[in-house]
Amino acid sequence: MLGKTRNSNIIIVTAPSGCGKTTLINMLLKKHTDIEFSISTTTRQPRGNEQHGVNYYFTSIDEFKNMISQDEFVEWAKVHGNYYGTQYSEIKRILDKGNKCLLDVDVQGGLNLMKIFPGCKSIFIEPPSVDELERRLRDRKTDSEDTIRLRMQDSIDELMFKDNYRYRVLNDKLENAFIEIERIIYDE
Ligand code: ADP
Ligand code: 5GP
């Protein structure tokens, strides 16, 4: 459906919640206009300043299930109690322009996409420690206590899959992590 894709233009980024992935992705998108964000579809509620069609396509559970039955997703998964999915049309929209397609997905999505697009660049962002991860999640002040607990448990599970990724980047000092990710993306 996506035809012949140049898989090195597909960049998969996964990180435990609160690790700094959104911060790093926003820095990349601001600096590099040839990198485009694949906007996922989700049934979760918008958080903070998130906007429909920018951060996510926010939708209902019924509509999401309808999209699954219409085979609209390259991959989809239930993450932290909500549905998230990547539409074929989204990846096609970006690759057709010759841009690099950056996908922010969980480990289930990452593993599926690696199979579909061999040769893609898969990056796992690691926190300096689990304690620091929890501190960042709390400092973000966007999640309830229940959500933080659920996300922390899921994060610990996700960390077990980091070795399945082609690249691992430690997000201790933000600037260093950013430079390392840039190098991975632009190293042919
Ligand atoms: P994610 O998208 O992975 O859930 P965010 O990008 O929302 O994470 O970051 C979570 C919090 O951690 C934010 O408040 C962000 O400003 C902060 N943060 C991100 N990277 C670092 C870093 N290297 N050092 C300290 N704080 C960071
Ligand atoms: P958040 O709710 O913090 O935006 O995202 C929660 C998790 O869902 C993150 O791990 C994020 O990478 C993942 N996610 C976002 N979009 C998708 C998607 O389209 N597919 C999959 N599998 N995971 C996604």
Side-chain angles (χ1 to χ4, degrees):
M1 195 166 188
L2 288 169
K4 238 177 142 36
T5 53
R6 188 153 169 265
N7 289 351
S8 61
N9 273 351
I10 293 183
I11 301 143
I12 299 166
V13 181
T14 296
S17 186
C19 195
K21 182 180 52 183
T22 307
T23 307
L24 285 161
I25 287 177
N26 287 341
M27 289 166 76
L28 278 172
L29 297 175
K30 197 169 169 196
K31 182 167 169 190
H32 300 283
T33 51
D34 61 333
I35 303 178
E36 266 199 84
F37 185 62
S38 164
I39 304 167
S40 293
T41 303
T42 184
T43 60
R44 121 159 130 61
Q45 292 298 308
R47 190 169 67 203
N49 294 325
E50 286 180 336
Q51 286 173 35
H52 179 81
V54 177
N55 311 89
Y56 280 106
Y57 299 114
F58 295 100
T59 191
S60 65
I61 295 176
D62 280 351
E63 179 53 23
F64 195 95
K65 288 186 174 165
N66 185 40
M67 290 170 79
I68 295 173
S69 66
Q70 300 290 320
D71 217 7
E72 291 189 27
F73 294 118
V74 184
E75 64 77 35
W76 65 269
K78 200 166 185 187
V79 192
H80 313 312
N82 295 299
Y83 290 97
Y84 296 81
T86 307
Q87 282 179 267
Y88 284 102
S89 57
E90 191 59 20
I91 299 186
K92 188 172 181 327
R93 174 181 74 78
I94 296 169
L95 294 181
D96 281 356
K97 285 191 249 174
N99 282 340
K100 295 179 189 298
C101 179
L102 194 151
L103 297 117
D104 169 347
V105 293
D106 81 321
V107 286
Q108 305 169 73
L111 297 178
N112 285 330
L113 290 168
M114 280 178 227
K115 279 190 222 134
I116 298 166
F117 302 112
C120 67
K121 295 188 172 176
S122 58
I123 305 171
F124 190 98
I125 302 171
E126 288 182 69
S129 67
V130 171
D131 284 350
E132 172 62 15
L133 186 64
E134 185 164 357
R135 203 168 304 126
R136 287 184 195 172
L137 206 49
R138 289 186 185 288
D139 286 353
R140 188 167 72 182
K141 296 188 168 64
T142 53
D143 302 285
S144 67
E145 188 56 34
D146 280 354
T147 301
I148 289 173
R149 254 190 250 122
L150 175 66
R151 283 179 178 251
M152 279 310 296
Q153 187 49 54
D154 288 347
S155 294
I156 291 163
D157 296 342
E158 288 212 308
L159 280 167
M160 291 192 292
F161 290 90
K162 64 181 183 187
D163 291 334
N164 292 82
Y165 283 69
R166 193 162 147 201
Y167 305 97
R168 283 169 298 282
V169 172
L170 178 70
N171 182 19
D172 187 359
K173 294 266 175 298
L174 189 66
E175 265 314 310
N176 293 350
F178 180 65
I179 291 166
E180 210 175 322
I181 293 173
E182 274 186 314
R183 225 186 26 233
I184 292 166
I185 294 175
Y186 287 99
D187 180 16
E188 294 294 327

